[in-house]
Amino acid sequence: MSRGILTPQRWALALLSAALLAACGQEPAPTAAPEAASSAKLSADAIRAKVANVDEAAIVAADPSNWLTHGRTYDEQRHSPLAQINADNVGELGLAWYWDTGTTRGLEATPIVVDGVMFTTGTWSTVFAHDARTGELLWKYDPEVPREWGVYACCDVVNRGVAAWKGRIYVGTLDGRLVALDAGTGQPDWSVQTTPKDRPYTITGAPRVVDGKVIIGNGGSEYGVRGFITAYDADTGDQAWRFYTVPGNPDDPIEGEHLKAAMSSWRGGEWWKVGGGGTVWDSMAYDPDLNLLYIGVGNGAPWNRHIRSPGGGDNLYLSSIVAINPDDGSLVWHYQTTPGDSWDYTATQHMILTELEVKGERRKVIMQAPKNGFFYVLDRETGEFLSAEAYVPITWASHVDPETGRPVENPGAAYAEKPALTMPAPYGGHNWHPMTYSPSTNLVYIPALDLPFMYGQDNAFRYNPATWNTGVEFALTIPPDSITEEVALRAMVKGHLAAWDPVAQREVWRVQHSGSWNGGLLSTSGDLLFQGRADGMFAAYQASTGALLWETPVHTGIIAAPVTWAVDGEQYVTVVAGWGGAFGVASGIPAQDGNVIRGGRILTYKLGATGTLPTPPMPEALPTPPPMTASADTVDQGELLYHQNCSVCHGGGAVSSGVLPDLRYMSEQTHQIFQGIVLGGAYKEKGMVSFSHVLDSDGAEAIHAYLIKRGHDAMEERRLLAEQSQSDSAPAGG
Ligand code: CA
C-alpha cells in the first residue's frame, strides 16, 4: 500500500486501471429531448409490417438499404456495399438530423434499421424507435430497471442494441430480462428473467436471432457469477436450451457433455462459490450454411487463477471462442485464446467470418482480436488454429506456438510471486468496440487500445458477493501526490485505429489517436471507414490509406459503432454518441482534453445536408472545496478507502470523466450530507447505494477528507494549467 514507490509509469497505470471497475448507478434525470421536424408519422401497423419481413432469409440477403442484425450480416463484417457516399465526396457530408437522449451515461448501441425505421437503445436498457429519415421519435420503451441494480454493472449502465425478427424487437435488460416488444408500439409481448436474481448478473449485449431462437448472454464475472448463454423461442419466450461455459460445483449434476471434458481442467479451489466466470457478454456470429453459432467467452471469476484454480489447468471454456450447434446448444468445437487466464483477457471481443486464402488454400475462417493482444485466424468449420500475431505490444506471452496453437507465457507474467507490469491492460488491446472487415481492401480494422497495467496478487482475497472479486490488488495503482506529474502523465493514455492484413498478419497502416477508448467501426464500398472518437469528433478515413477525409464535432466522446443505410435511393450514416462505458466512467480523459460532455445524442448524416448542432453551454463555475482540517494520516487512510470502494465509478484520484459526478467539485450541500449519501443511501434512487456494509462513520469521514484534499489539488492543477497556456505563445498543434 505504500505510496512511496510510485513512479510515473505506476501513475499511468493508475489512471488506466482507475476505470476498470465500476459499480456505478448514478445518472441525472433525463431532460426533454427536442422534437425533430416530421412529416406524416408512421403508424404502428406500418412499422410492424416492415419488421414482419425480418427473418433469416432477409438477414442473409442483406439488402444494403437496411441494417437488420447487430453486425449488419450474420458474419458480423460491419461492411456496407453502399458507395453513394465515397472517398471523393465525403467532404460534402452534413448533418441530416440529431436527437438528444436526455441521458449522460455511456451509449454503445448499434442501431438496427428496417425500411426507414431505426431501433436503438440508450442507458438503462431503454429502447427507441425513430423515423430514420427525419429523426422523429415513434415510440420509446423503458423497462424500468431498478436503479440500485446499477451497482452490479461493472462497465456502466450501457446497452449495445436490439434484435429485430418477424414483427418484434428484442432487448436484454441490465437486470437480466429478455423482453420481446411489439415493433409497432414498443409494448412488451413477453418477458423472461434469463438470470438468477440472487447473483449480480447484468445484460449489456445485443441479442441475435438464429433460426427462430433469440440468443442472449450476460455479464458479471467481476462480481462473481457463472457464465452461460440461453436460447429462447422467438414467438413464445420458452427456453430452448442453455449452454454453461464453465463447470459448477463438482458435487452437483453436470449440465452437458462439454462440462465433463472441462471439469478436469479446473483443479483445486472452490471456483463455483465465486461463480467461475466465463460470461458471454457481447460477441456472437452465425454461419447458416455450417449451422454453427459462435460465441465469445469471458474471463474467469476471480481473475487470478492462483485463487480460482490453485492446482492449475486451462479452466475451460474461459477466454475461448466456442462453436455451438444452435439446434440443441451442444458444443461442436472450441479454441481457447488464453488458457488459465489470470488477466481478465476475455475472448468476448467481436468475431468476424469470411473466406481467406491461407497457404494457398481457400478457408472459411473466423477472426478475432481479443483482449490478450493477439489477432487470431481460425478455421471456423473445425476450430483449427491457422495463425496469430500481436496487434498491440504484449508482455504476458512471447508468441503463439504454431504447432499447438497455445500462447507461450513469459516468466512471471502470472504475478504469483510479485506484481507484474503487463500489456495489454485488463481493458485489452481491444475491447467490445466493433471492428470491421472490408472485402474491398481485404483488411480488418481494429479500434485498438494502448494501455498497460500493474497486476499483483491480492493475498487477502476473500469472496464478498457485494463487491468485485478479482483476486488482484488494485491498491497498487493509487496515484502519486505530485500534481505536475499527474498533468503530464494523463497524456500517456492512448488508442489507435489499425488496418490489419489478416493473411499476412501484419499492420498495414495506423491512425494514432490522442485519447483512448475510441468508437467502433464501419467500412463501406465507398473506400470509407467511419469512426467516432473519444475527443468528441465523428470522422471518415480512407479505408485503403487511413487518410482523414472528413470530421465533425458532436460534443461528446463516441464509443459506439456507426451504421449506414438508405431510403429512397439516398445513403445515410448514423452514429450514437455518448461517452461512458468501463473506461469512460472513470478515466477523466476527454474532460482533460477539453471535450464537452453534454449528454447522449443520435446523429444522422447525408450528402449535402446542412443541419447544425446547438453551441454547447459554457461549463459552470466550479465550487470551492471547504478548508482542509483533517490530519495527513486521515487523508491517507481516506485515499486508500476511496480506491478500494469508490474509484471504480468516480475515477482514480477522484478524477471523473464527467459521466459520473467529479467528487473534487462537490457542492456545499453535498459536503454537508456526505455521510448521509455514503452511509445513509440518500442518493440510492440515482444509483449511489449505501456503502455502510463496508464503511463506518470514521471511514466515510476519511474519504471525505481525501476528497476535500483532491478538491484543493484540482484548484492547484487548474492554476498550473492556466500558467502553462499563458506561457505557450504558439497555437496548440494536433
Ligand atoms: Ca471482465
Side-chain angles (χ1 to χ4, degrees), residues 222 299 344 346 371:
E222 274 57 53
N299 57 280
D344 189 19
T346 66
K371 279 189 185 178

Side-chain angles (χ1 to χ4, degrees), residues 20 154-155 220-222 279 281 298-300 303 341 343-346 348 371 426-427 431 468 470:
L20 283 183
C154 74
C155 307
S221 286
E222 274 57 53
T279 50
W281 55 262
N299 57 280
W303 288 1
D341 169 45
W343 305 272
D344 189 19
Y345 285 164
T346 66
T348 48
K371 279 189 185 178
Y427 292 114
N431 206 288
W468 277 47
T470 61

Side-chain angles (χ1 to χ4, degrees), residues 74-92:
Y74 277 134
D75 55 22
E76 304 266 335
Q77 292 185 0
R78 289 179 176 266
H79 176 86
S80 171
L82 294 178
Q84 191 181 71
I85 302 168
N86 56 53
D88 292 330
N89 63 18
V90 70
E92 297 159 34

Side-chain angles (χ1 to χ4, degrees), residues 476-532:
L476 282 169
T477 55
I478 287 176
D481 291 329
S482 159
I483 304 304
T484 320
E485 206 172 70
E486 192 168 330
V487 171
L489 289 165
R490 193 164 293 133
M492 287 172 56
V493 178
K494 298 244 188 290
H496 66 272
L497 163 59
W500 189 263
D501 179 339
V503 176
Q505 286 279 20
R506 64 177 184 88
E507 188 175 290
V508 177
W509 55 254
R510 83 159 59 184
V511 175
Q512 185 67 50
H513 294 324
S514 61
S516 200
W517 205 246
N518 298 286
L521 296 168
L522 161 71
S523 66
T524 76
S525 291
D527 195 20
L528 290 176
L529 190 60
F530 287 91
Q531 183 181 34

Side-chain angles (χ1 to χ4, degrees), residues 11 14-15 17-22 24 427 477 479 490 582-588 639 642-643 645-658 660-664 706-707 710:
W11 163 228
L15 249 182
S17 63
L20 283 183
L21 320 149
C24 324
Y427 292 114
T477 55
R490 193 164 293 133
F583 183 87
V585 287
S587 65
E639 177 172 25
Y642 174 88
H643 285 89
N645 297 292
C646 321
S647 66
V648 299
C649 291
H650 290 284
V655 180
S656 165
S657 67
L660 284 163
D662 193 314
L663 301 181
R664 298 172 303 167
Y706 168 66
L707 293 172
R710 291 297 290 155

Side-chain angles (χ1 to χ4, degrees), residues 667-690:
S667 70
E668 198 182 327
Q669 194 217 348
T670 305
H671 280 291
Q672 280 167 8
I673 61 166
F674 190 83
Q675 293 260 349
I677 297 168
V678 174
L679 301 179
Y683 286 173
K684 185 183 115 180
E685 296 306 316
K686 297 183 181 182
M688 169 62 199
V689 298
S690 164

